[in-house]
């Protein structure tokens, strides 16, 4: 069965601090996708990144970076120099690769509060 | 770029009433997904459609039904509403082939009173 675990329920940091959100996943599939979404207080789900299982290159996008470690089944997300606008719930998610039933399995989310 | 359109954005219904949520996927996306997110919860998969046929089913109550129409828009019908149905309902669309874009709509916030 597929499962995503985000052990950090809430994280509070002060602006300009770096913060890492952890994500550990379980799947028996050899190919799969991993995602991160941001959900601000307004409620929409904002896509941040999709990574497929055969691409273990780390990715950096501005202040955001992702570390994919297949050996430990982890896909961690780091925000550098956090800002108040980063305050949101962040979800890690997993889906099958290919096929017509690519439903997302979400973790329980991490609430990030960035204090000014 | 066109996004996934959901309507209405907000809906208030009384217990035992019926609600219909609509979703218009991104053009050329052939798969539509519905998710339910209760307060403080993560989104839970309800049902999906590929080329107008149901492709997968999750934890969708029997009181709910959904379909995808010939123009690819989808509707989620919810009957005999209960207080526990109060949630954010998201629709997402994707394309099976290609870059597997997976885009969510802004959601419909349903409140059952």
């Amino acid at each position: 069965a597929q499962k995503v675990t985000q052990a950090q329920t809430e994280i509070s940091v002060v602006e300009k601090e770096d913060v890492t959100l952890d994500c550990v996943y379980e799947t028996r599939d050899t190919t799969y996708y991993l995602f991160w979404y941001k959900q601000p207080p307004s409620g929409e789900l904002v896509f941040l990144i999709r990574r497929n299982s055969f691409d273990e290159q780390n990715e950096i996008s501005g202040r955001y970076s992702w570390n994919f470690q297949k050996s430990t089944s982890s896909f961690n997300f780091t925000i550098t120099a956090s800002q108040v606008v980063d305050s949101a719930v962040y979800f890690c998610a997993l889906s099958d690769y290919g096929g017509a039933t690519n439903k997302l399995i979400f973790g329980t989310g991490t609430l990030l509060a960035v204090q000014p | 770029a066109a996004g996934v359109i959901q309507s209405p954005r907000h809906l208030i219904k009384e217990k035992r009433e019926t609600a219909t949520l609509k979703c218009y996927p991104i053009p050329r996306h052939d798969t539509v997904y519905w998710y339910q997110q209760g307060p403080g919860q993560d989104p839970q998969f309800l049902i999906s459609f590929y080329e107008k046929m149901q492709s997968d089913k999750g934890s969708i109550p029997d009181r709910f039904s959904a379909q995808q129409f010939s123009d690819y828009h989808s509707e989620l019908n919810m009957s005999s509403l209960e207080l526990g149905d109060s949630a954010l309902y998201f629709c997402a669309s994707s394309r099976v082939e290609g870059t597997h874009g997976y885009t969510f709509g802004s959601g419909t916030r349903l409140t059952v009173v």
Side-chain angles (χ1 to χ4, degrees):
Chain A
Q2 296 180 316
K3 185 179 178 183
V4 176
T5 301
Q6 294 179 255
Q8 304 150 308
T9 306
E10 291 185 36
I11 300 177
S12 181
V13 299
V14 176
E15 214 171 12
K16 297 182 185 168
E17 283 185 15
D18 298 347
V19 58
T20 296
L21 308 182
D22 297 332
C23 173
V24 174
Y25 62 92
E26 296 174 32
T27 181
R28 284 181 285 191
D29 296 329
T30 54
T31 52
Y32 46 89
Y33 281 111
L34 293 163
F35 299 77
W36 275 95
Y37 284 89
K38 173 183 179 180
Q39 188 171 45
S42 51
E44 71 269 26
L45 284 167
V46 179
F47 169 82
L48 295 177
I49 190 172
R50 183 196 75 196
R51 168 68 73 213
N52 63 48
S53 54
F54 38 85
D55 181 1
E56 286 195 69
Q57 265 196 327
N58 291 331
E59 180 154 340
I60 298 175
S61 175
R63 296 184 298 108
Y64 295 168
S65 62
W66 291 269
N67 184 290
F68 177 29
Q69 299 268 348
K70 214 167 176 179
S71 59
T72 56
S73 298
S74 65
F75 186 44
N76 296 339
F77 171 35
T78 297
I79 302 175
T80 303
S82 59
Q83 300 175 2
V84 172
V85 293
D86 296 327
S87 298
V89 178
Y90 290 85
F91 289 101
C92 180
L94 169 71
S95 84
D96 293 333
Y97 178 84
T101 60
N102 299 314
K103 62 177 180 282
L104 296 186
I105 307 298
F106 285 86
T108 50
T110 297
L111 173 61
L112 174 64
V114 181
Q115 310 296 334
Chain B
V4 177
I5 307 296
Q6 288 189 248
S7 67
R9 290 296 307 275
H10 302 274
L11 190 58
I12 300 176
K13 291 284 186 178
E14 295 189 354
K15 281 194 303 184
R16 292 180 287 278
E17 283 193 320
T18 297
T20 296
L21 310 185
K22 297 186 179 182
C23 170
Y24 296 85
I26 290 174
R28 294 185 297 281
H29 276 196
D30 47 27
T31 308
V32 167
Y33 310 80
W34 286 97
Y35 289 82
Q36 178 192 56
Q37 185 181 23
Q41 306 292 314
D42 53 289
Q44 295 289 316
F45 171 72
L46 292 178
I47 195 166
S48 63
F49 293 87
Y50 168 65
E51 286 291 344
K52 294 156 278 185
M53 299 288 290
Q54 181 182 309
S55 55
D56 199 0
K57 198 171 178 181
S59 48
I60 182 168
D62 292 340
R63 299 177 290 106
F64 294 7
S65 65
Q67 57 182 320
Q68 187 178 30
F69 295 85
S70 58
D71 64 352
Y72 290 92
H73 94 273
S74 178
E75 295 183 3
L76 177 66
N77 298 293
M78 309 156 69
S79 63
S80 302
L81 287 169
E82 302 173 357
L83 295 179
D85 297 328
S86 296
L88 256 178
Y89 290 84
F90 287 103
C91 173
S93 74
S94 74
R95 186 170 169 80
V96 171
E97 295 179 2
T99 60
H100 187 67
Y102 204 115
T103 306
F104 281 87
S106 299
T108 294
R109 187 174 294 279
L110 172 67
T111 303
V112 182
V113 298

